């Protein structure tokens, strides 16, 4: 089965896209995606392959997650989302995701899955304690998972965990965390601008600039100027 899945993925690959993807996902020496290998598959096509193989057993998904090829790991993540959404045993998929969190190791893999599996499961159980463990992780991707998972809460009008995690990450040194937190703050503001502005009024002078820019992206030019003041 794994061989057929890989063949399906390669049938929709576009090798001429590889250089652009390697640059976009920062695969150079010392960059966050160092050594990641691409075969040039567009996300919509990866989704189609995931739908075809959504019933693949977790053992196969595990092998895909272990791949050095970016699109194979993304395929595994998208299969997991489909499995979770139709599963009668969501806890199994949730636990599998956590067990393999370090292999969900680029921002697109995180952003397309964390809120749909981790966030959704925590909405059901009400237990968000794991997020506060991960927010302290030395692993960049686990920290990003902790933030992006709260998107599921935000969509339900629940902002507390997003704001608490944002506070804990104000001094994080990585640009990808700044972007993730800023994105979640912006999503809070879409639903309740007063809540976002209250957070910004307290922290904007000390927030990383990238985080702040993402958070105020939808603001008027006048409001942006106000918050961008040191």
């Amino acid at each position: 089965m794994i061989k057929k899945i890989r063949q399906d993925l390669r049938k929709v690959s576009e090798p001429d896209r590889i250089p652009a993807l390697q640059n976009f996902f920062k695969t150079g020496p010392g960059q966050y995606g160092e050594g990641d290998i691409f075969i040039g598959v567009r996300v919509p096509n990866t989704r189609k392959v995931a739908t075809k193989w959504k019933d693949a057993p977790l053992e196969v998904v595990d092998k895909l997650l272990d791949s050095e090829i970016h699109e194979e790991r993304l395929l595994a993540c998208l299969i997991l989302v489909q499995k979770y959404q139709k599963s009668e045993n969501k806890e199994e998929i949730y636990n599998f995701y956590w067990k393999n969190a370090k292999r969900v190791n680029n921002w697109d893999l995180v952003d397309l899955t964390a809120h749909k599996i981790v966030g959704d499961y925590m909405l059901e159980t009400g237990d968000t304690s794991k997020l506060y463990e991960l927010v302290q992780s030395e692993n960049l991707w686990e920290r990003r998972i902790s933030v992006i998972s709260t998107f599921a809460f935000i969509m339900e009008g629940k902002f507390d965990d997003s704001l608490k995690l944002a506070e804990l990450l104000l001094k994080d040194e990585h640009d990808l965390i700044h972007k993730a937190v800023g994105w979640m703050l912006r999503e809070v503001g879409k639903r309740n601008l007063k809540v976002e502005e209250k957070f910004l009024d307290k922290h904007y002078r000390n927030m990383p600039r990238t985080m702040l820019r993402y958070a105020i992206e939808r603001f008027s030019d006048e409001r942006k100027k106000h918050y961008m003041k040191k």
Side-chain angles (χ1 to χ4, degrees):
M1 180 181 287
I2 189 74
K3 183 178 180 180
K4 290 181 179 179
I5 293 173
R6 285 173 168 152
Q7 287 175 344
D8 282 349
L9 202 56
R10 278 154 184 77
K11 286 177 184 176
V12 292
S13 66
E14 300 172 52
D16 59 315
R17 301 187 70 242
I18 294 174
L21 289 169
Q22 289 174 327
N23 180 62
F24 186 65
F25 286 97
K26 309 298 182 187
T27 62
Q31 296 180 309
Y32 64 76
E34 180 177 359
D36 210 353
I37 297 173
F38 288 81
I39 58 174
V41 185
R42 297 178 187 272
V43 173
N45 288 329
T46 309
R47 288 188 186 279
K48 290 177 182 178
V49 178
T51 298
K52 177 179 179 179
W53 293 101
K54 63 182 183 297
D55 294 323
L58 287 178
E59 291 79 6
V60 171
V61 177
D62 185 70
K63 290 179 181 178
L64 289 170
L65 268 179
D66 207 32
S67 174
E68 61 184 3
I69 296 172
H70 184 99
E71 291 94 338
E72 290 189 5
R73 300 196 310 279
L74 176 58
L75 176 61
C77 290
L78 294 176
I79 289 173
L80 275 181
V81 170
Q82 294 205 36
K83 281 185 170 298
Y84 176 85
Q85 291 173 341
K86 70 183 186 66
S87 177
E88 295 182 0
N89 186 4
K90 294 184 183 300
E91 184 178 9
E92 179 185 23
I93 308 300
Y94 170 81
N95 288 335
F96 181 90
Y97 188 92
W98 276 133
K99 181 181 177 182
N100 296 283
K102 286 184 171 64
R103 293 192 282 174
V104 184
N105 56 356
N106 215 313
W107 59 263
D108 58 327
L109 277 63
V110 173
D111 294 0
L112 291 171
T113 60
H115 63 294
K116 294 181 178 180
I117 297 177
V118 176
D120 184 84
Y121 186 81
M122 289 181 174
L123 269 176
E124 294 293 322
T125 64
D127 182 4
T128 62
S129 59
K130 185 74 173 176
L131 299 182
Y132 294 90
E133 294 176 21
L134 251 67
V135 80
Q136 301 177 56
S137 173
E138 293 182 1
N139 182 278
L140 165 64
W141 309 116
E142 289 187 335
R143 299 201 306 280
R144 188 164 175 115
I145 288 171
S146 72
V147 179
I148 301 300
S149 293
T150 69
F151 194 11
F153 313 155
I154 293 170
M155 289 188 285
E156 295 296 322
K158 300 178 180 180
F159 311 132
D160 286 353
D161 287 298
S162 299
L163 299 176
K164 289 175 183 176
L165 290 170
E167 281 192 319
L168 291 172
L169 289 166
L170 286 173
K171 294 183 179 180
D172 196 284
E173 296 181 355
H174 206 288
D175 184 63
L176 284 177
I177 299 301
H178 302 167
K179 291 177 179 178
V181 173
W183 173 24
M184 291 303 101
L185 291 173
R186 186 172 72 242
E187 292 297 333
V188 169
K190 286 181 183 179
R191 293 154 179 87
N192 192 321
L193 185 57
K194 289 183 179 179
V195 171
E196 182 188 7
E197 288 186 328
K198 182 178 179 181
F199 182 92
L200 294 176
D201 289 343
K202 182 178 180 181
H203 296 294
Y204 78 95
R205 292 180 180 85
N206 301 312
M207 290 172 69
R209 296 295 94 179
T210 297
M211 185 186 296
L212 181 57
R213 288 190 187 97
Y214 269 62
I216 64 175
E217 190 175 86
R218 292 166 54 88
F219 285 22
S220 68
D221 289 342
E222 183 179 355
R223 293 299 285 164
K224 286 180 181 178
K225 289 178 181 177
H226 166 72
Y227 282 114
M228 289 305 293
K229 292 177 182 177
K230 287 286 186 181

